[in-house]
Amino acid sequence: MAKHLKLPALALSTLLAGVLAAQVQAHGNVTPQAVDTTGLTPLGAEWADTNPYRDPSPDFDRAVEIGASAYNQNCARCHGLEAISGGIAPDLRLLTPDFDGDEWFKYRVINGAVRDGAVYMPKMADTLSQEALWAIRTYLDTRHVEE
Ligand code: HEC
């Protein structure tokens, strides 16, 4: 899991907090947008350990479609349009489309990222469903690039 983590140096993260605060202000409300997951197999309250919609799941195509739009509405302002990071937050194309990548993805969307009381990333799972988040993860699978 640690190999996906690119912790910036302390000075850099302080700078990042400033950039992020400005970014958040510029974009106003950061409340996640509701995602319509109609057509995807419902997953219940318990979190799956690995992406249930990954190819060859029958849900794959629909998940990519829903995930692309949900990503652009909820994650792109920090992680970049089409998952190409502008440097504010990690480039999510680097997450490997396997169990390790899933584990780290799940950890971050459930826990967010808070350091010294500053919210770098909100707890996305508080407002987006498990179905919506795995759909985003499925979309990210299709955007994967090797480092
Ligand atoms: C307000 C900005 C913001 C938003 C919105 C946001 N993130 Fe993040 N995210 C971050 C930052 C900053 C980090 C790096 C945190 C750290 O390293 O402490 C991060 C880290 C991550 C990581 C870990 C990546 C890695 O390489 O370590 C994942 C996965 C992730 N975010 C997924 C998402 C998803 C999915 C969404 C949308 C549902 C989202 N994020 C929305 C700012 C954001």
Side-chain angles (χ1 to χ4, degrees):
M1 153 158 142
K3 74 181 147 104
H4 303 290
L5 177 62
K6 309 248 166 2
L7 274 184
L10 189 61
L12 186 62
S13 67
T14 308
L15 179 72
L16 182 74
V19 171
L20 212 57
Q23 171 95 351
V24 165
Q25 255 169 7
H27 289 252
N29 195 350
V30 293
T31 308
Q33 302 297 304
V35 176
D36 181 1
T37 56
T38 309
L40 292 178
T41 304
L43 303 172
E46 186 98 347
W47 268 80
D49 284 332
T50 192
N51 185 1
Y53 301 142
R54 177 165 293 137
D55 195 22
S57 157
D59 288 315
F60 176 76
D61 289 338
R62 181 93 183 106
V64 172
E65 194 184 316
I66 291 172
S69 134
Y71 172 88
N72 283 323
Q73 284 177 343
N74 295 286
C75 321
R77 65 177 169 269
C78 294
H79 290 281
L81 278 176
E82 300 183 339
I84 302 168
S85 170
I88 289 172
D91 196 309
L92 299 182
R93 293 174 303 164
L94 299 175
L95 286 179
T96 49
D98 59 12
F99 179 79
D100 280 359
D102 287 349
E103 193 180 34
W104 188 225
F105 176 87
K106 177 176 156 181
Y107 178 83
R108 266 297 173 242
V109 298
I110 290 174
N111 297 289
V114 180
R115 278 204 299 272
D116 300 330
V119 178
Y120 289 78
M121 172 171 155
K123 297 179 180 178
M124 304 309 290
D126 284 359
T127 31
L128 294 178
S129 68
Q130 178 181 186
E131 288 83 356
L133 286 162
W134 284 125
I136 291 172
R137 173 72 177 130
T138 309
Y139 162 69
L140 290 172
D141 279 6
T142 69
R143 303 288 301 145
H144 175 68
V145 292
E146 294 296 328
E147 213 158 340

